[in-house]
Amino acid sequence: MSSWLLAQCVVEQLQQAGVRHVVLAPGSRNAPLSMALHRVQEVGAQEIGAQGIELHVRIDERSAAFLALGMARALEQPVAVVTTSGTAVANLAPAVMEANEASVPLVVLSADRPLTAMNSGASQTGHQFGLFAGQVRHQVQLTSDATPKAWRFQLRVALALATGQRTRRPGPVQVNLHLDEPLMPTEEGLDAPRPWQVEPSRPAAPVSLEAGPRTVVLAGDARPAVGQRAAQLAHEAGVPLLAEPSSNARVGQAISTYRLLLGKPDLGGQIEQVVVFGHPTLSRPVTRLLRRSDVEVVVVADDARWPDPGFTASRVVDDVELAPASDPSWLNRWLTADLDMQTRLQLAQRPEAGRDPRPTGLAVASLVVERTAGQVLVLGSSNPIRDADLARVPDALFGPQATPTTVFANRGLAGIDGVTSTAAGIALALDRPTTCLLGDLTFLHDAGGLWLGALERRPTLRLVVLDDRGGSIFHTLEQGAPEHEASFEKVFGTPHRTDLAALGAAHGWQSATVDDLAELGQRLRVPVRGPELLVVPVTRDDRRAWAERIAAF
């Protein structure tokens, strides 16, 4: 056998599993995989197999991994990322950890040196198998001296576990490939594989629940189908829908200011039952609700694992049917309070004498949410997604004919790394115009994601960066209290002087700085046509006072 045969076998099994996209970070040891993947794209599916693969090349492994993560998240299908040996593999760790917590089918194909070279001090030879222990659904190492039958079996198991076909728990897997020389293609070819199929496990029938007068549906970060199911259930039962911005349930009569209303004794304080969809982790009021001992928590889980941050869940089900609420005033009270809270938020943002003229993060987020209604929106962590959490549900998302906004966010571990690359992956995979709202530190953290090779397909992606010259979310946390002011700016505020628009322009993005809401609104009305960057200067000086002010509404 040979490394070239093994590489062909890997590509063959990716095709049979329906993998449509592979992201490659170039190197020497992964040369057989690189050549086999390029052959598929250039020669076509007719010669190699039944399924074509689009190859995307990125020079930075961390960006490559998040690009693949975004694609896999958007398509809900496995996407592979290929690296060479050595430290290259370690750069995948953040994306692998996010994929683990968010149940995203990310396939790591890590090239490695021959097993006989281990511990020898040979160049780029380290212990990379097991590097993601505890973060992957499965890990296997393949050697070039085995047989195609053995390779095919191991690859099929890994791909089935990545998709969760039998476990109903998709997630990342690592296939570590020990490749020996020669690394270039030879005349060797594989025999035709036997057909194979893995039957997926099936969810159980819906469980019927009574919708008491004080039931709410809570939708956390979720896939579009899950979010739509949560919205449908709340609508049919006539109960309040508390939907996080990345829940894909924020439509119709969703309560946009729910996190402020949860602290009201006559609303949040009276909740008796919560039906949970997705992964709710965004705000502390929601966490406090799920920790209450006087609330019954029913979790609707679409895979083998379920969220229960308060350790209070009494039931875990595949799906539910909720009887109509017996008291319509319960929903009406929430809707009325939501309208009142929205009015207060709008009045609080009116310009005042002596106030910083720059727009607030909430104003920018509200405008972005409004202008992207029914489109594809990616939300960065920290304040942007929390500002979007208070944005009013756009009028375009009301009614039975409304097209929901497809919203994504890296909420598995809620990190700020890899957001630009994730958004680019989503835009490329869906082949739809995509807008990403993110903060300046999040943008800088993935500056490598701006790189687009001259031979690469360019994402139809618009980045809207809230630039407050530092980390504004820390102003709203304990370390932002006045007594910690002396140390705050150095170790939490982390101010910078980077010209973000110039950084984008240097990478070939159409870039502009926009300091006026009216101009931003006009730019957002123009369809996204390619890589575009809009930097919006905002202030963070009064961020803590603003958070305290709205909490007191």
Side-chain angles (χ1 to χ4, degrees):
M1 296 300 108
S2 71
S3 296
W4 174 240
L5 276 180
L6 175 54
Q8 290 183 83
C9 190
V10 170
V11 174
E12 169 201 273
Q13 292 304 306
L14 291 177
Q15 291 175 293
Q16 288 202 356
V19 174
R20 293 164 48 193
H21 297 272
V22 175
V23 184
L24 166 70
S28 174
R29 187 55 48 170
N30 59 351
L33 281 170
S34 303
M35 299 292 284
L37 288 164
H38 183 264
R39 183 181 175 197
V40 168
Q41 181 161 282
E42 293 300 307
V43 176
Q46 294 79 12
E47 179 175 337
I48 308 298
Q51 175 70 44
I53 291 177
E54 182 174 2
L55 181 61
H56 309 264
V57 178
R58 294 296 186 272
I59 58 174
D60 179 82
E61 285 84 6
R62 187 173 68 173
S63 295
F66 275 105
L67 186 79
L69 176 83
M71 291 177 172
R73 186 188 294 274
L75 295 173
E76 298 180 24
Q77 297 173 358
V79 172
V81 56
V82 180
T83 74
T84 193
S85 61
T87 59
V89 189
N91 285 291
L92 308 185
V96 169
M97 293 174 70
E98 172 66 24
N100 176 33
E101 295 299 326
S103 295
V104 176
L106 180 67
V107 180
V108 172
L109 300 174
S110 51
D112 205 347
R113 300 285 163 149
L115 276 172
T116 52
M118 291 297 109
N119 305 311
S120 69
S123 178
Q124 290 189 336
T125 302
H127 294 278
Q128 60 191 52
F129 177 70
L131 189 64
F132 309 116
Q135 301 295 333
V136 290
R137 302 290 183 268
H138 183 67
Q139 52 186 347
V140 64
Q141 48 188 345
L142 304 181
T143 59
S144 57
D145 59 353
T147 65
K149 285 185 178 181
W151 293 334
R152 284 168 175 151
F153 170 75
Q154 297 292 350
L155 289 163
R156 289 167 181 174
V157 170
L159 290 164
L161 287 168
T163 59
Q165 288 175 289
R166 300 297 302 166
T167 64
R168 295 185 59 219
R169 191 190 172 204
V173 298
Q174 181 191 13
V175 179
N176 197 56
L177 302 157
H178 293 275
L179 302 173
D180 207 344
E181 297 177 358
L183 300 175
M184 289 294 99
T186 67
E187 296 299 321
E188 299 169 291
L190 288 169
D191 59 319
R194 290 184 177 181
W196 66 282
Q197 186 174 355
V198 178
E199 289 295 328
S201 61
R202 304 295 181 185
V207 174
S208 297
L209 296 177
E210 292 295 325
R214 296 175 184 173
T215 294
V216 298
V217 172
L218 173 64
D221 180 70
R223 298 182 292 108
V226 174
Q228 291 163 20
R229 174 58 183 148
Q232 176 191 22
L233 187 75
H235 174 73
E236 293 176 350
V239 298
L241 172 61
L242 317 183
E244 293 184 1
S246 62
S247 65
N248 287 287
R250 209 172 172 93
V251 296
Q253 294 184 325
I255 309 299
S256 58
T257 60
Y258 68 92
R259 88 166 188 240
L260 301 179
L261 299 178
L262 282 174
K264 305 298 180 184
D266 59 334
L267 289 172
Q270 294 189 15
I271 295 174
E272 297 174 341
Q273 180 176 245
V274 183
V275 182
V276 179
F277 288 81
H279 184 205
T281 61
L282 186 60
S283 66
R284 293 185 180 186
V286 166
T287 301
R288 287 193 288 268
L289 170 66
L290 296 177
R291 286 176 177 168
R292 281 170 46 184
S293 59
D294 61 332
V295 172
E296 181 180 6
V297 177
V298 179
V299 179
V300 182
D302 62 342
D303 65 20
R305 187 173 56 175
W306 62 92
D308 187 11
F311 314 119
T312 57
S314 58
R315 300 185 73 175
V316 179
V317 299
D318 288 328
D319 195 6
V320 294
E321 293 177 347
L322 199 56
S326 58
D327 182 7
S329 67
W330 174 241
L331 173 58
N332 291 334
R333 284 162 54 197
W334 279 86
L335 293 173
T336 301
D338 188 34
L339 287 174
D340 178 66
M341 191 65 73
Q342 279 292 338
T343 301
R344 294 188 183 197
L345 286 172
Q346 292 173 7
L347 291 174
Q349 294 186 88
R350 287 184 175 179
E352 298 177 358
R355 181 176 167 182
D356 193 308
R358 288 175 291 182
T360 64
L362 176 56
V364 175
S366 297
L367 191 58
V368 170
V369 168
E370 177 188 343
R371 292 288 193 268
T372 59
Q375 302 175 26
V376 180
L377 176 62
V378 182
L379 296 171
S381 295
S382 296
N383 273 327
I385 192 170
R386 288 169 173 81
D387 288 330
D389 193 35
L390 292 175
R392 184 180 64 85
V393 177
D395 294 335
L397 300 184
F398 280 80
Q401 304 302 319
T403 300
T405 305
T406 304
V407 186
F408 299 95
N410 284 342
R411 296 301 304 169
L413 287 174
I416 68 169
D417 43 353
V419 172
T420 295
S421 297
T422 300
I426 290 167
L428 288 169
L430 297 180
D431 200 19
R432 292 175 58 190
T434 301
T435 299
C436 177
L437 177 68
L438 67 165
D440 53 332
L441 295 188
T442 300
F443 175 78
L444 288 170
H445 208 288
D446 192 22
L450 296 171
W451 183 87
L452 299 171
L455 303 180
E456 297 302 303
R457 182 159 64 93
R458 300 169 74 78
T460 310
L461 174 64
R462 173 182 286 150
L463 302 176
V464 180
V465 180
L466 293 162
D467 184 10
D468 55 18
R469 301 286 174 171
S472 62
I473 192 171
F474 298 113
H475 286 279
T476 66
L477 303 176
E478 291 82 355
Q479 53 265 56
E483 58 266 30
H484 306 305
E485 183 177 359
S487 62
F488 180 86
E489 198 66 2
K490 174 73 172 178
V491 298
F492 296 110
T494 55
H496 68 88
R497 298 191 181 98
T498 306
D499 186 334
L500 304 186
L503 181 61
H507 285 82
W509 290 60
Q510 183 179 348
S511 304
T513 298
V514 183
D515 55 11
D516 178 75
L517 276 178
E519 181 186 352
L520 177 63
Q522 292 172 357
R523 287 179 176 270
L524 291 175
R525 287 187 184 278
V526 178
V528 186
R529 294 189 174 90
E532 179 185 349
L533 169 63
L534 299 178
V535 179
V536 185
V538 296
T539 179
R540 60 183 170 93
D541 294 341
D542 60 350
R543 188 78 204 200
R544 186 175 185 85
W546 167 255
E548 292 173 345
R549 184 179 180 187
I550 64 174
F553 281 172

